[in-house]
Amino acid sequence: MTERPTKQFFKEAINYLTPFVKQAGEMILESWNKIEIAKQKDVRDVATKTDVAVENFLKEKILFKWPSHGFWGEEGEKRINPSSSYQWLVDPIDGTKFYVGLAPFFQTFIALTFNGAPVLGLMYHPLSRQFFSAYQGGGTYLNGKIILVKSSFFLNEAVVDVDFGGLLDKKEEEKKWMLDKLSRIIERSYRVRMSAGALSTYIVTGAIDAYIDLAGSKPQEIAARIIIAQEAGLKTEKIKTAFGEKLVVSREPALSEIKQILLK
């Protein structure tokens, strides 16, 4: 049986990775005004050469320190050591379309999962230099200061960020379901934002009060968000719907109200 990560391991891992995450941020900013496309994923989605370079840089640093661990980058062609209980998940530039469009809504995510569950998460916003870190049982920190969300609220008091994705690749039944749920959420919430996940981490600072992922984001995009939210005192739940699991992050009673909408 693989030994669970210890508090000492988490602290050493964050101390080791912090300078490399910030160095990755500098790489991202240096290339911002000279963006080169590495590959076209679909009609609008792209990976830049900076995405690839940053992922490779972080992969090298992680596997040098923990060669037996798994690595799963968003831009990589294949996973490394996929059978390991320890899996490092990296999204080098979350918000690449914003990055290419010169909009300042992009960040880097690193997460560690143990037996499939997120246990450590890092998020760095290179423009604001905001560095979020969290590990299981250790709390959430923003630039070294602990963050704890204590407020509770009903859905009609909540600012909700919905990652909706798109409908073009959905079948008619799923389209109707998504539009119905979005409409119900809008009707019952104080305000609704649709930031494509750019605001999701800022639920711990109070910028939003709930985050709903209807799009079905990749593990590399959501693993760090989950542990950062959990350690700040928020609840996270993957709700099993007729069209797959949908991640919801919030506090009670708003989370239960959102769950009721998704399951109705």
Side-chain angles (χ1 to χ4, degrees), residues 129-252:
R129 301 190 184 279
Q130 291 171 306
F131 181 64
F132 293 83
S133 63
Y135 66 85
Q136 193 173 62
T140 292
Y141 291 81
L142 170 55
N143 292 343
K145 294 183 179 180
I146 196 163
I147 297 176
L148 186 61
V149 180
K150 296 181 179 179
S151 58
S152 60
F153 33 78
F154 291 93
L155 187 54
N156 63 6
E157 303 169 308
V159 177
V160 181
D161 185 35
V162 180
D163 194 344
F164 190 75
L167 296 176
L168 292 176
D169 62 340
K170 303 290 190 297
K171 293 183 178 179
E172 199 62 33
E173 188 177 356
E174 186 173 359
K175 287 181 183 180
K176 290 179 180 178
W177 183 89
M178 289 183 68
L179 289 170
D180 175 67
K181 300 311 175 188
L182 179 61
S183 175
R184 291 175 184 272
I185 291 163
I186 291 171
E187 287 173 352
R188 293 182 57 180
S189 303
Y190 175 75
R191 291 285 188 276
V192 170
R193 312 287 188 225
M194 297 180 74
S195 72
L199 287 173
S200 60
T201 306
Y202 292 92
I203 192 171
V204 304
T205 64
I208 58 173
D209 306 305
Y211 169 69
I212 306 170
D213 178 20
L214 292 181
S217 298
K218 300 174 185 176
Q220 298 94 327
E221 297 169 329
I222 62 171
R225 299 175 189 177
I226 288 172
I227 188 67
I228 289 170
Q230 289 173 341
E231 289 299 318
L234 290 146
K235 290 185 67 176
T236 69
E237 186 171 350
K238 291 184 178 179
I239 297 168
K240 294 181 179 179
T241 75
F243 298 99
E245 291 186 337
K246 307 299 180 184
L247 174 67
V248 177
V249 183
S250 191
R251 295 270 293 180
E252 294 292 3

Side-chain angles (χ1 to χ4, degrees), residues 55-109:
E55 183 173 306
N56 287 336
F57 169 74
L58 293 172
K59 177 174 67 175
E60 177 186 336
K61 301 302 180 185
I62 288 169
L63 294 179
F64 175 81
K65 181 73 171 175
W66 302 286
S68 65
H69 287 194
F71 182 90
W72 191 11
E74 187 185 24
E75 308 302 339
E77 297 296 327
K78 63 178 182 178
R79 297 178 65 169
I80 296 172
N81 298 332
S83 62
S84 172
S85 297
Y86 290 84
Q87 293 290 322
W88 291 94
L89 279 57
V90 171
D91 188 351
I93 305 178
D94 181 70
T96 300
K97 284 189 284 293
F98 287 138
Y99 179 68
V100 171
L102 304 183
F105 311 121
F106 51 85
Q107 50 273 318
T108 296
F109 283 115

Side-chain angles (χ1 to χ4, degrees), residues 31-46:
S31 302
W32 200 19
N33 288 316
K34 48 183 178 181
I35 294 168
E36 296 182 67
I37 303 302
K39 58 183 175 181
Q40 191 85 29
K41 296 181 178 180
D42 62 26
V43 67
R44 289 298 307 274
D45 199 10
V46 300

